[in-house]
Amino acid sequence: MTAPRAFILGYPVGHSRSPMLHGYWLRTLGLPGSYGLADVAPDALPGFFADWQRNGFTGGNVTVPHKVAVVPFLARIDATARAIGAVNTIWTEDGDLVGGNTDVGGFIANLDHLAPGWDAGSRSAVVLGAGGAARAAAYGLLGRGMHVHLVNRTRENAQALAEHFGAGVTTHARVDLPELMAEAGLLVNTTALGMLGKPLLEIDLAPLPQRAVVYDIVYVPLYTPLLQQAAARGHRVVDGLGMLLHQAVPGFTRWFSAMPVVTDELRALVEADIRAKTPGA
Ligand code: ATR
């Protein structure tokens, strides 16, 4: 049997840290196999899937801009990918290509890992943003019985997300934030604000109860101004790097038939790479 071959499919994809993650697990678990970059332009996508067998692929990850575009090439997608409307992981089942979405599981696993018991108090979460990451966050939080209060720059985008998910998600204007935060057990930033090179997320955390957890899915910088402000106020904080690490676990398990672990050593490896390549991170 040939060694499993997996990939990260995107365009451009050179910046991806997925090869580092999966390479670390292959190495430390002593497994045969490889994980490489698949830098594929949109018009080359049909050719990529036509060559699947010849390339001997076992499966892979999918990133921007292909998360929706890959769906027609797959035999089916799982319930989570259907709910999110995007695929980030592909594997084979009895020769069929199947797509899933592990961002939801990664979002929740990271929260459970870094802030255990986060859902023991209030059932109310405030989510900032209404893009793809907000969808994954909302779906994951609904699965844990939370009510999601969505605040987004463009209210229509938030409303579209709320309509998609139903009664568990409600939308609000930005001026309502202090009132919403006062009842919240969790505040999540899913927007790009606070990312290196982007404007800051301007928010006053004063109304947030002390027990509330603050989660920023941005991970460059690792410790965003939002998280710094939250930590200084005594909140437990969760950064976005862990989401990247945890979303990789189910894919690796399917392709290489061994369950990897998100260790401190792996986190340190990726952190060092981010710091080395992004001055100011
Ligand atoms: P992703 O898939 O990573 O979530 P996205 O779909 O582009 O990325 O979503 C980006 C989110 O960040 C959106 O909620 C966007 O708000 P709009 O719906 O109004 O576009 C939000 N966002 C991006 N830049 C922003 C800014 N300068 N101020 C406020 N919100 C911003």
Side-chain angles (χ1 to χ4, degrees), residues 129-134 152-154 157 190-193 199:
N152 190 48
R153 175 178 60 182
T154 311
N157 294 344
T190 73
T191 75
L193 296 176

Side-chain angles (χ1 to χ4, degrees), residues 207-213 230 233-236:
L208 208 57
Q210 186 78 68
R211 56 168 165 69
V213 172
R233 299 186 67 87
H235 295 284
R236 288 198 290 168

Side-chain angles (χ1 to χ4, degrees), residues 127-132 134-135 138 150-165 169-172 191:
V127 174
L128 308 175
R135 275 188 174 227
L150 211 57
V151 176
N152 190 48
R153 175 178 60 182
T154 311
R155 184 93 183 247
E156 295 75 47
N157 294 344
Q159 275 157 351
L161 197 158
E163 272 163 36
H164 179 76
F165 285 120
V169 180
T170 44
T171 71
H172 305 267
T191 75

Side-chain angles (χ1 to χ4, degrees), residues 40 74 84 87 92 106 110 116 119 148 151 157 159 170 177 189 193 208 230 251 260:
V40 177
L74 308 175
I84 302 301
V87 164
T92 43
N110 186 36
D119 55 347
V148 175
V151 176
N157 294 344
Q159 275 157 351
T170 44
L177 263 179
N189 174 44
L193 296 176
L208 208 57

Side-chain angles (χ1 to χ4, degrees), residues 61-270:
N61 287 122
V62 184
T63 187
V64 181
H66 300 316
K67 285 185 169 191
V68 178
V70 295
V71 175
F73 300 101
L74 308 175
R76 57 186 180 277
I77 62 175
D78 74 6
T80 310
R82 272 199 301 279
I84 302 301
V87 164
N88 81 333
T89 305
I90 298 174
W91 63 91
T92 43
E93 274 177 32
D94 301 326
D96 284 343
L97 298 193
V98 183
N101 190 305
T102 65
D103 285 332
V104 176
F107 174 86
I108 293 291
N110 186 36
L111 192 49
D112 283 336
H113 188 182
L114 295 181
W118 61 273
D119 55 347
S122 161
R123 308 310 296 162
S124 168
V126 176
V127 174
L128 308 175
R135 275 188 174 227
Y139 189 61
L141 293 171
L142 290 172
R144 290 292 282 267
M146 301 293 285
H147 187 96
V148 175
H149 297 281
L150 211 57
V151 176
N152 190 48
R153 175 178 60 182
T154 311
R155 184 93 183 247
E156 295 75 47
N157 294 344
Q159 275 157 351
L161 197 158
E163 272 163 36
H164 179 76
F165 285 120
V169 180
T170 44
T171 71
H172 305 267
R174 206 189 148 95
V175 291
D176 297 333
L177 263 179
E179 211 177 308
L180 294 169
M181 284 200 292
E183 302 297 323
L186 177 70
L187 172 71
V188 188
N189 174 44
T190 73
T191 75
L193 296 176
M195 200 182 285
L196 204 65
K198 295 271 160 75
L200 285 183
L201 173 65
E202 295 193 21
I203 189 166
D204 178 7
L205 297 181
L208 208 57
Q210 186 78 68
R211 56 168 165 69
V213 172
V214 178
Y215 189 168
D216 197 340
I217 69 151
V218 169
Y219 63 88
V220 181
L222 288 160
Y223 205 39
T224 61
L226 170 68
L227 295 188
Q228 289 179 30
Q229 188 195 155
R233 299 186 67 87
H235 295 284
R236 288 198 290 168
V237 300
V238 176
D239 64 75
L241 180 58
M243 179 171 168
L244 174 76
L245 306 180
H246 284 281
Q247 66 74 31
V249 170
F252 186 97
T253 308
R254 287 186 188 276
W255 311 318
F256 302 114
S257 308
M259 173 107 89
V261 177
V262 174
T263 58
D264 290 345
E265 186 187 41
L266 172 61
R267 202 189 143 89
L269 189 75
V270 182

